[in-house]
Amino acid sequence: MMSLSIFLGAYPPEIRERFLATQSLVASLLPDAEQVLDLPAKMLAFTYGTGYKDMICVLIPSRNGLKLSFSQGAILSNNTQLLEGNGKKSRYVEIKNITMLQNPELQKLIRKALIIYNEQKR
């Protein structure tokens, strides 16, 4: 399997830096989540199982940016207008810079995504 560093090698340095910082934040807020690199989809998933229903969020790098996409984003509160997109289920946050990661509202979204997941598992 391809390593994360090789995968990230395809992206500009500022995207790699933003990706790694976001990965670290998400990992700290989703205890015991498995990180699965999906090469065909060009994303890193944070999941508690094997299927889409167990996925909390994904990091999607591109040459121009980084998205943190929530699989149940449509359910998350968007009072702060951080969430974008209009998918049936998913929504994403454009991670424009590393300082965004200190935004308590972003951290709340990640925590809330885990709460929603746990509630749906009951």
Side-chain angles (χ1 to χ4, degrees):
M1 187 170 130
M2 180 187 281
S3 75
L4 189 58
S5 58
I6 293 171
F7 168 72
L8 288 175
Y11 301 97
E14 63 273 10
I15 301 300
R16 290 196 301 262
E17 182 183 3
R18 217 179 301 163
F19 183 100
L20 292 170
T22 307
Q23 175 194 18
S24 178
L25 172 69
V26 174
S28 74
L29 296 173
L30 299 178
D32 304 320
E34 186 179 351
Q35 296 182 40
V36 179
L37 190 56
D38 184 336
L39 293 176
K42 296 183 177 160
M43 66 183 199
L44 178 69
F46 290 83
T47 183
Y48 286 97
T50 54
Y52 183 82
K53 66 184 180 353
D54 293 314
M55 189 168 58
I56 307 297
C57 59
V58 295
L59 279 176
I60 308 167
S62 70
R63 302 223 29 90
N64 302 317
L66 176 66
K67 290 179 181 170
L68 173 60
S69 180
F70 295 92
S71 56
Q72 296 295 324
I75 300 172
L76 291 170
S77 166
N78 195 19
N79 296 337
T80 60
Q81 305 302 308
L82 282 175
L83 289 169
E84 298 179 51
N86 54 11
K88 265 180 150 172
K89 290 188 177 231
S90 70
R91 298 283 189 279
Y92 67 90
V93 175
E94 183 77 39
I95 305 297
K96 297 178 176 132
N97 52 56
I98 287 180
T99 13
M100 260 187 91
L101 302 178
Q102 297 166 6
N103 182 336
E105 295 303 323
L106 176 63
Q107 295 176 22
K108 261 190 224 171
L109 282 175
I110 298 167
R111 286 189 190 97
K112 183 64 179 171
L114 179 58
I115 290 167
I116 289 169
Y117 168 76
N118 285 326
E119 286 171 350
Q120 291 176 345
K121 291 303 278 185
R122 287 189 194 139

